[in-house]
Amino acid sequence: MADNDTGQIKQTGQADEQYLVGIAGVCIRYIRDVFGQAALARLLEGLPKTRSLSELEDDASWSTYSEIAALFEAAVEVTGDLRVGFNLGRQMVKELSGTETVALLRSLGSPSEIYRNIGVASGKFSTAAVMEPLEVADNYATVSSTTRGGFPRHPQLCEYTKGLLSMAPTLFSMAPATIDESECQAKGAKRCLYHLQWGDSTEATVDDAAQTSDAEQQLAGMTQRLEEIYTTASDLLEVEDIDSVLARVAWHAGRAVSAPKYLLVVKLDSYTEPKIQSHGLEADEALSIANEILNSDNPDDMDGSRLIVDVSSQYKWYGRLAAIHPQGLKFFPHDKHMLSIYANYAASALATITALDEVRRSDTITKTLLDFGSVVARSKTVYEVAVTLLQTVPIVVGCDYVSVLLWEEDHQLLKEVANSEAVAFKAEPVGENTKEGENSITGVNISGHHIDSILHTNIPLYLEQDDFLRQRLGLERYHDVIATPLLYFEQFLGVILTCFGSASRAKDATVSHKELFQQLSGLSDHAATAISNTKLLEKVSYMALHDSLTGLPNRMLFEDRANQELGRIHRTGESCGLLFIDLDNFKEINDVLGHDCGDMVLMETSERLKSVVRTQDTISRLGGDEFVMLVAGIDTVEADQVLEKLAGRVLTVLATPFDIKDNSVHISASIGITTAPKNGTIYTELLKQADTAMYSSKRKGRNTFSVFLG
């Protein structure tokens, strides 16, 4: 094929089985921005009318190889540029700045590591070709690419691939790589062979404005990803139709891990057929995969080309969620974490729906529960659920006063979080040392016959006049007090106290005593489901932003807080500082005492570090034995002195031996210090500075700190 051929590809079934993601939207925006609206109209005229413009512009939308071939043809025709694919490849990476995909690539640490992992990384952009690193050095790489299925390779796919590959160094503030193609499959070779070279980051010509823009895009992308996770969770809590829940989960999950095919299959009970939601799969293929992954204890992941996670809650296993690449393409480890988040949301939503179905068996309370359920389903915290109960229960049962108490499992105490007089408040649980004159509605000790009864019942019960709860909360003035347990399955979450000023009010509140108890039970079931789900949402959100071992903020949350503080000091004129803390010789602890002891040292280290900082400061575990502190709001004149004193306190608290499984463990740390805005205001640069200073401490002999001097 001649160099100036645009190339043609048959509309074969093989081609249509291969996919590229996002390129259609990039191409449309590129043509519109560079060549104008008229050129875009000409481009669209040359494309098959299979999808709308909005669908084509969706960056998470996968296009078949045949569709992209037609797009390349039309783009060459409109622009007259035989290298338009190269420009589109570069534009693709620019537009992805700040996205989950680029964040994953950056996390590899260098252009060389991206090229070493190109076989996995390429799956984030295309399944049309197999890419393999043949040789990778610090500033040089050779990569091969071969189309799948044996179909002809389009010349513009080669150009597009070159554009993509050349941009890897730009993710680390370097200039794009130079790239040569010594063999080309589109010209008859068995493969495409690309040779890349790039310079050192110190030679890059990236100005401060570009770096600032890049940092802002990364922050915006992280914020967008977090907002999408939270929005997805909130959406699912509002949905009551199971099929809609499954469709939303599958759609969001497929976007999150950038998979061309995905499938969600759940079985709600033993007597109904499984429910299946899929994308990119024919009906028979979807059914076959669904049966396989649902009925197998260890479903085949096809050597990493299928990512499969369980959809399960604490109490029930529902099914599995799978993202699917073509054979040979694999997922990043982080993709499993993202997929699991959406699987957890699905389980939470399914638990909500099935619980609501159980409640609706009582026809007499259906309407009131639906109205109440629509409100609590939107609640983001347990306190919002409690307030909704305060507003709803008196209307439903005609009572005079309501108190909502939640169970503190760790303290074995009930804590009142809301009542009809104090709408909502957060109070510390109290026991025997509560002082007279303090707010008497702050909690109760679990001793007492009726409190024990509440803990072991699943139905409402009347409390006697001398009951501990009535006396502790000052409810003796009410004629009748009914305690309704909040139960999620068999888990005790708390209690609703419903108070009536006279016997007639309790008697007349509903048609019968039985209906009163049915209504209270229905409300408590809805509230318990909402409370459980909000706790799960809070837990999942917490896990996404905190280190699983120490509970400290993770790298993502720390970067977000650091950027917020950098923005704040820009407005106030204050300073802030970073301390990069690396434990000395930590590997020896793992080697000699074992990883369990090493983990205990890390957990104790985090507690000691927390003891030397203020509430407005942040400590994060970046990974391994590396910690970093953000010291916020420091007077600029005293900043260096404050940070050095803090570093000294860190060394002091770590100097005390650690008592680990009858072993006295001695440990020290090397610390690096940098200050903003004196040394800059870009978080990534400040972190590098603190890291550099930390290594200076290592070279000094460890157990000391060093200040970055520029």
Side-chain angles (χ1 to χ4, degrees):
M1 185 178 290
D3 287 351
N4 60 354
D5 280 347
T6 60
Q8 298 290 331
I9 184 168
K10 295 180 181 179
Q11 298 285 332
T12 65
Q14 287 178 324
D16 285 339
E17 283 298 312
Q18 310 307 327
Y19 303 89
L20 294 89
V21 67
I23 182 59
V26 170
C27 182
I28 287 171
R29 290 186 290 274
Y30 175 80
I31 297 296
R32 181 167 51 212
D33 295 344
V34 177
F35 297 94
Q37 196 66 38
L40 176 60
R42 290 173 53 202
L43 177 82
L44 296 176
E45 288 177 1
L47 299 181
K49 304 300 187 290
T50 56
R51 290 188 291 172
S52 67
L53 179 60
S54 61
E55 290 174 326
L56 289 170
E57 284 198 86
D58 184 359
D59 288 333
S61 175
W62 289 79
S63 301
T64 66
Y65 187 83
S66 298
E67 290 171 336
I68 296 303
L71 183 72
F72 284 148
E73 299 290 340
V76 171
E77 178 69 23
V78 168
T79 64
D81 181 5
L82 296 178
R83 298 196 69 200
V84 67
F86 182 82
N87 295 329
L88 293 177
R90 287 197 163 190
Q91 185 65 25
M92 167 70 81
V93 177
K94 293 177 182 177
E95 291 195 12
L96 287 174
S97 179
T99 65
E100 185 74 26
T101 296
V102 166
L104 280 173
L105 295 177
R106 277 198 177 100
S107 70
L108 295 176
S110 69
S112 299
E113 287 304 312
I114 291 179
Y115 294 128
R116 285 191 180 95
N117 290 274
I118 197 64
V120 178
S122 63
K124 293 292 181 182
F125 301 91
S126 168
T127 68
V130 178
M131 301 190 74
E132 181 181 2
L134 301 183
E135 182 180 1
V136 180
D138 289 342
N139 62 352
Y140 173 84
T142 299
V143 175
S144 71
S145 177
T146 309
T147 52
R148 294 178 177 276
F151 57 84
R153 187 180 181 94
H154 198 287
Q156 290 302 320
L157 178 60
C158 296
E159 293 297 326
Y160 171 71
T161 304
K162 288 192 285 187
L164 276 178
L165 289 173
S166 70
M167 293 296 282
T170 67
L171 304 185
F172 304 92
S173 299
M174 301 180 186
T178 60
I179 185 167
D180 295 311
E181 186 178 15
S182 61
E183 298 177 26
C184 182
Q185 194 177 16
K187 297 178 182 178
K190 293 183 178 180
R191 63 182 180 179
C192 292
L193 198 61
Y194 303 109
H195 307 278
L196 301 107
Q197 282 190 302
W198 61 94
D200 187 82
S201 59
T202 59
E203 301 173 359
T205 57
V206 182
D207 59 30
D208 291 340
Q211 291 191 20
T212 300
S213 175
D214 185 60
E216 290 173 348
Q217 289 176 333
Q218 291 182 52
L219 177 58
M222 184 187 73
T223 302
Q224 181 180 355
R225 294 194 297 275
L226 290 175
E227 288 178 350
E228 183 167 349
I229 290 175
Y230 295 144
T231 300
T232 302
S234 298
D235 286 347
L236 293 180
L237 288 175
E238 294 182 17
V239 176
E240 295 179 356
D241 174 65
I242 291 177
D243 292 327
S244 297
V245 168
L246 301 182
R248 289 193 188 190
V249 169
W251 184 79
H252 281 291
R255 290 173 64 94
V257 300
S258 190
K261 301 178 181 181
Y262 48 84
L263 179 142
L264 173 61
V265 55
V266 299
K267 192 171 176 63
L268 301 179
D269 47 55
S270 59
Y271 50 85
T272 58
E273 292 296 318
K275 291 183 176 292
I276 303 171
Q277 289 287 340
S278 66
H279 175 79
L281 299 167
E282 296 294 336
D284 290 346
E285 184 183 11
L287 181 61
S288 175
I289 294 175
N291 286 330
E292 175 195 345
I293 67 175
L294 187 65
N295 298 317
S296 172
D297 291 335
N298 295 293
D300 187 3
D301 70 351
M302 298 297 182
D303 196 27
S305 63
R306 296 200 308 196
L307 192 59
I308 305 170
V309 297
D310 288 328
V311 178
S312 61
S313 67
Q314 183 178 356
Y315 303 99
K316 184 173 181 179
W317 183 85
Y318 293 96
R320 290 192 169 104
L321 174 62
I324 303 169
H325 270 322
Q327 189 74 28
L329 278 182
K330 298 183 179 182
F331 291 89
F332 280 105
H334 178 74
D335 289 330
K336 186 170 186 178
H337 171 70
M338 290 300 298
L339 203 65
S340 295
I341 289 177
Y342 289 96
N344 287 338
Y345 285 157
S348 174
L350 289 171
T352 302
I353 293 170
T354 53
L356 289 174
D357 287 342
E358 288 297 321
V359 171
R360 292 190 181 113
R361 292 177 182 176
S362 175
D363 293 337
T364 59
I365 59 173
T366 297
K367 186 179 185 304
T368 54
L369 292 181
L370 287 175
D371 293 340
F372 175 71
S374 66
V375 177
V376 296
R378 294 193 295 270
S379 299
K380 303 299 189 297
T381 68
V382 294
Y383 300 101
E384 292 182 16
V385 178
V387 171
T388 305
L389 279 169
L390 292 182
Q391 298 167 345
T392 305
V393 173
I395 298 173
V396 174
V397 302
C399 64
D400 299 297
Y401 182 90
V402 179
S403 174
V404 181
L405 302 96
L406 296 182
W407 180 245
E408 296 255 336
E409 182 66 30
D410 293 340
H411 300 94
Q412 292 288 291
L413 291 173
L414 279 172
K415 181 176 72 172
E416 186 177 49
V417 295
N419 64 46
S420 297
E421 294 175 354
V423 175
F425 54 88
K426 297 181 181 180
E428 293 299 322
V430 299
E432 310 232 348
N433 297 324
T434 304
K435 298 178 181 178
E436 289 296 327
E438 290 185 350
N439 186 347
S440 62
I441 314 170
T442 54
V444 294
N445 194 304
I446 66 166
S447 61
H449 173 70
H450 284 286
I451 296 177
D452 187 64
S453 298
I454 293 171
L455 290 172
H456 298 91
T457 186
N458 59 0
I459 60 172
L461 56 87
Y462 282 95
L463 300 183
E464 301 294 338
Q465 273 288 347
D466 59 353
D467 182 85
F468 179 83
L469 267 178
R470 292 187 65 157
Q471 295 181 357
R472 183 65 183 84
L473 297 177
L475 303 179
E476 299 95 330
R477 66 186 183 275
Y478 294 103
H479 189 280
D480 289 306
V481 178
I482 301 174
T484 306
L486 290 163
L487 297 172
Y488 185 67
F489 292 89
E490 295 183 358
Q491 182 185 9
F492 180 73
L493 301 178
V495 62
I496 307 169
L497 297 181
T498 311
C499 307
F500 298 88
S502 65
S504 60
R505 288 294 303 275
K507 185 176 180 181
D508 296 339
T510 55
V511 175
S512 68
H513 171 88
K514 180 180 179 181
E515 279 193 32
L516 172 61
F517 275 28
Q518 284 180 336
Q519 290 178 343
L520 289 172
S521 295
L523 289 168
S524 70
D525 286 346
H526 263 75
T529 299
I531 290 170
S532 179
N533 286 328
T534 54
K535 286 184 175 181
L536 177 60
L537 175 59
E538 291 170 357
K539 180 179 179 181
V540 172
S541 300
Y542 181 89
M543 291 171 61
L545 296 172
H546 290 79
D547 176 53
S548 60
L549 177 64
T550 64
L552 294 175
N554 62 14
R555 184 184 297 267
M556 181 184 295
L557 179 56
F558 184 84
E559 182 174 350
D560 181 47
R561 290 186 180 175
N563 280 309
Q564 289 186 38
E565 176 63 11
L566 290 169
R568 193 192 66 81
I569 65 171
H570 177 72
R571 297 188 300 271
T572 64
E574 294 177 295
S575 294
C576 68
L578 290 185
L579 274 66
F580 198 111
I581 304 165
D582 186 276
L583 301 184
D584 297 328
N585 303 315
F586 179 75
K587 183 176 182 298
E588 294 181 6
I589 296 175
N590 281 335
D591 292 343
V592 175
L593 300 180
H595 287 276
D596 286 347
C597 290
D599 287 347
M600 294 172 68
V601 170
L602 292 174
M603 289 188 287
E604 175 63 23
T605 296
S606 70
E607 294 301 317
R608 294 190 184 187
L609 293 179
K610 285 190 286 188
S611 71
V612 301
V613 298
R614 305 162 301 170
T615 55
Q616 63 264 43
D617 302 329
T618 301
I619 307 172
S620 171
R621 180 185 175 219
L622 297 182
D625 58 355
E626 294 181 340
F627 298 82
V628 62
M629 285 183 177
L630 169 65
V631 187
I634 315 171
D635 182 86
T636 299
V637 176
E638 301 177 350
D640 291 340
Q641 182 180 1
V642 169
L643 294 174
E644 290 180 18
K645 284 185 176 180
L646 177 59
R649 290 201 300 272
V650 170
L651 295 177
T652 299
V653 298
L654 293 180
T656 303
F658 291 68
D659 185 13
I660 307 296
K661 291 186 176 180
D662 298 326
N663 295 289
S664 182
V665 178
H666 294 265
I667 200 163
S668 62
S670 298
I671 304 174
I673 304 172
T674 189
T675 309
K678 182 174 72 173
N679 293 328
T681 57
I682 299 175
Y683 165 74
T684 52
E685 293 301 320
L686 292 168
L687 190 63
K688 290 178 183 177
Q689 294 168 9
D691 185 47
T692 299
M694 181 274 292
Y695 278 107
S696 295
S697 298
K698 293 284 189 186
R699 290 191 292 271
K700 290 179 183 178
R702 300 181 172 87
N703 195 28
T704 188
F705 61 83
S706 301
V707 179
F708 181 78
L709 300 176

